[in-house]
Amino acid sequence: MTFQRLLPFLSLFIITTLLTACGSESQQQEEEAAILPAEGMWRGVLKTEPETIPFQFTLTKATGSTYKVELVNGEERIETEATLTPGDSLIIPMHIFDTSLEAVLTGEGHMEGIFVKNYLDNYEIAFEAEAGVDERFVRQTDPSGMPQGKYAVTFTEENGETYEAVGVFESTGDELSGTFLTTTGDYRYLQGTMAGDKLLLSAFDGEHAFLFTGKVSGDSLTDGHFYSGRHYHATWTGAKDAEASLPEPESLTYLKEGYDQIAFTFPDLQGDMVTLEDQRFDNKVVILQLFGTWCPNCMDETKYLAEWYTENQDRGVEILGLAYEKKADFEYAKNRVKKMTQRMDVPYDFVIAGTSDKKEAAKTLPMLNHVMSFPTTIFIDRQGRVRRIHTGFSGPGTGEYFERWKEDFNRFMDKLIAEEKS
């Protein structure tokens, strides 16, 4: 199947070689004849319309036909592996996500192929990549006034609906980094620069591909465009504002009137039913994490919670992940979650709660006013009462916001853990 998907990208030379190769040729000879990809930094371009989305990754030889790959977004490095197969095909599964880059090497420093979301029918984006290119964006003109600090931003979708965000930017020399915080999460590590007065930022984490462009005029950001994946497009504007803020994340998702507890029955990864009435949760502080393996913000939260739980699980606390996956198929969802827990070394348990459709997810927890975001984190005290519901997550790409969240999380958990069951 991989060969068929990559066939359009094979050069005439490679096609001819494959078709005329002798069946008796040894595996060693095939390996010796293969093109080996250059090690080091690569610059890729996802060929979306109307703007292409650049990204960066590194390749390092591991063992045999395996290569270590790191997706690069500013300070972030996301590790995965690539396999070089006969026919000079390079297959790069995207770590915990059900996606992959599938390419053909047309030279040691060049590849062409497709980005595939395996859980969707016919979701493919053509890409190409070149080795030895350190710049994410190819600048035509020298940068001018870089945005710095905090901005109040409004995004407008193509249907006219708007949503607010806080843009935070940092520049060093001609390098620009930052992110946008929204009520449902942040756009993680964005990396780029300026070309004249034009802002250029992008990110590719293996699941989502983002491109932000705009013009900087003094303290204003104008003519902003946001592109994501194959089709999504929104416009945006911003103004420098040191007091820019969003609604409190604890105010957005709440229990409907008449409820003070969460109740559910979901299967764990072994198919056994789990409820909060189970003995292991008795007299424990419980964190419920509404989560999906397709969700980069969830990945950020899980990394933090896994480390925190390892250090604090003996204090009378449990974390349970409620997984909402892309397919309503238990085996598919179970395998996605199992891969994630093994890859990220997550020590707490997960149940399969439903699908990633937010309206359908809300039906599984009818005591909530809605499911607005993945992740959503529910804090339950020793009496089984819901004490806080936190919508979204401000991850490490948000800098000071992430540090504030960690401080608040630890203060609140210390308080809950210290309380005795009445």
Side-chain angles (χ1 to χ4, degrees):
M1 181 174 68
T2 299
F3 174 78
Q4 292 174 339
R5 291 205 292 210
L6 291 173
L7 188 56
F9 302 98
L10 290 167
S11 68
L12 180 60
F13 169 76
I14 297 174
I15 293 173
T16 303
T17 301
L18 288 172
L19 293 176
T20 59
C22 297
S24 59
E25 189 176 27
S26 69
Q27 181 64 34
Q28 181 180 358
Q29 287 174 321
E30 289 181 350
E31 291 177 356
E32 289 175 352
I35 300 172
L36 300 180
E39 297 187 57
M41 182 69 76
W42 286 68
R43 177 183 185 268
V45 177
L46 291 168
K47 297 181 179 180
T48 52
E49 295 288 346
E51 298 281 348
T52 59
I53 302 178
F55 64 98
Q56 290 174 295
F57 61 97
T58 63
L59 275 177
T60 307
K61 186 74 184 304
T63 58
S65 59
T66 303
Y67 286 76
K68 176 184 174 182
V69 180
E70 289 186 333
L71 299 180
V72 178
N73 296 294
E75 298 177 2
E76 178 183 52
R77 300 294 185 272
I78 302 175
E79 294 186 6
T80 187
E81 292 181 346
T83 302
L84 184 63
T85 65
D88 303 325
S89 298
L90 193 69
I91 310 301
I92 312 175
M94 293 288 101
H95 49 106
I96 69 168
F97 301 129
D98 192 13
T99 63
S100 58
L101 292 171
E102 303 178 1
V104 168
L105 296 168
T106 58
E108 67 176 16
H110 190 267
M111 67 176 73
E112 297 181 6
I114 49 178
F115 169 57
V116 182
K117 291 191 175 183
N118 298 304
Y119 57 84
L120 294 175
D121 292 333
N122 302 316
Y123 189 103
E124 298 177 0
I125 299 175
F127 87 96
E128 63 179 331
E130 184 178 356
V133 182
D134 292 330
E135 289 186 335
R136 178 172 293 241
F137 292 91
V138 180
R139 291 190 297 271
Q140 303 300 320
T141 56
D142 291 332
S144 53
M146 294 269 196
Q148 193 84 18
K150 191 182 298 185
Y151 290 73
V153 175
T154 300
F155 285 90
T156 302
E157 298 186 320
E158 292 188 334
N159 62 6
E161 293 183 3
T162 63
Y163 62 96
E164 303 304 310
V166 176
V168 287
F169 304 104
E170 219 175 274
S171 61
T172 303
D174 60 359
E175 295 294 323
L176 180 64
S177 62
T179 195
F180 294 90
L181 294 87
T182 76
T183 55
T184 58
D186 65 272
Y187 289 123
R188 306 188 75 256
Y189 294 89
L190 300 174
Q191 180 182 350
T193 188
M194 297 273 293
D197 63 352
K198 187 175 182 180
L199 173 149
L200 300 165
L201 289 167
S202 73
F204 176 59
D205 54 33
E207 172 67 29
H208 294 106
F210 298 144
L211 172 67
F212 295 87
T213 66
K215 289 186 177 180
V216 179
S217 178
D219 289 341
S220 296
L221 302 174
T222 63
D223 195 27
H225 292 269
F226 170 31
Y227 304 95
S228 177
R230 290 192 302 182
H231 302 302
Y232 182 81
H233 172 248
T235 58
W236 60 277
T237 59
K240 194 163 188 176
D241 183 355
E243 304 302 319
S245 63
L246 295 168
E248 286 297 321
E250 284 79 26
S251 69
L252 301 172
T253 306
Y254 49 85
L255 292 176
K256 294 176 183 175
E257 187 175 351
Y259 292 95
D260 66 356
Q261 295 185 336
I262 295 285
F264 57 77
T265 302
F266 297 134
D268 64 15
L269 303 190
Q270 290 72 47
D272 298 323
M273 290 301 179
V274 175
T275 80
L276 289 177
E277 301 300 316
D278 295 344
Q279 186 176 359
R280 64 172 159 150
F281 300 117
D282 186 43
N283 197 28
K284 297 281 187 70
V285 175
V286 180
I287 298 173
L288 299 179
Q289 179 196 24
L290 278 63
F291 163 98
T293 60
W294 48 269
C295 165
N297 287 142
C298 299
M299 178 177 66
D300 289 337
E301 184 185 51
T302 300
K303 182 178 180 181
Y304 178 81
L305 290 179
E307 294 173 356
W308 184 90
Y309 184 69
T310 298
E311 297 174 0
N312 293 275
Q313 59 183 313
D314 60 351
R315 297 175 66 195
V317 62
E318 292 290 340
I319 300 177
L320 183 66
L322 277 55
Y324 292 84
E325 294 302 309
K326 287 294 185 179
K327 293 183 180 181
D329 177 270
F330 177 78
E331 288 299 316
Y332 174 86
K334 176 192 74 174
N335 290 333
R336 298 312 309 168
V337 174
K338 185 179 290 187
K339 179 178 180 180
M340 181 279 302
T341 58
Q342 293 172 347
R343 183 104 190 181
M344 297 182 66
D345 196 22
V346 182
Y348 56 86
D349 292 335
F350 284 80
V351 294
I352 305 303
T355 67
S356 59
D357 181 279
K358 292 177 184 177
K359 290 183 179 180
E360 292 301 313
K363 294 177 183 178
T364 69
L365 298 170
M367 64 288 301
L368 298 181
N369 64 319
H370 57 203
V371 172
M372 182 179 178
S373 173
F374 296 101
T376 293
T377 313
I378 302 173
F379 298 80
I380 300 173
D381 66 17
R382 295 184 188 274
Q383 284 69 246
R385 298 172 303 192
V386 174
R387 298 285 291 276
R388 174 184 287 186
I389 303 177
H390 186 100
T391 301
F393 186 70
S394 297
T398 68
E400 66 178 85
Y401 291 90
F402 179 53
E403 296 303 318
R404 273 190 242 154
W405 177 86
K406 288 193 294 184
E407 291 175 4
D408 181 66
F409 173 87
N410 280 283
R411 278 196 303 267
F412 190 65
M413 288 304 298
D414 287 344
K415 176 184 176 180
L416 291 184
I417 291 170
E419 294 176 355
E420 296 294 333
K421 185 173 182 179
S422 58

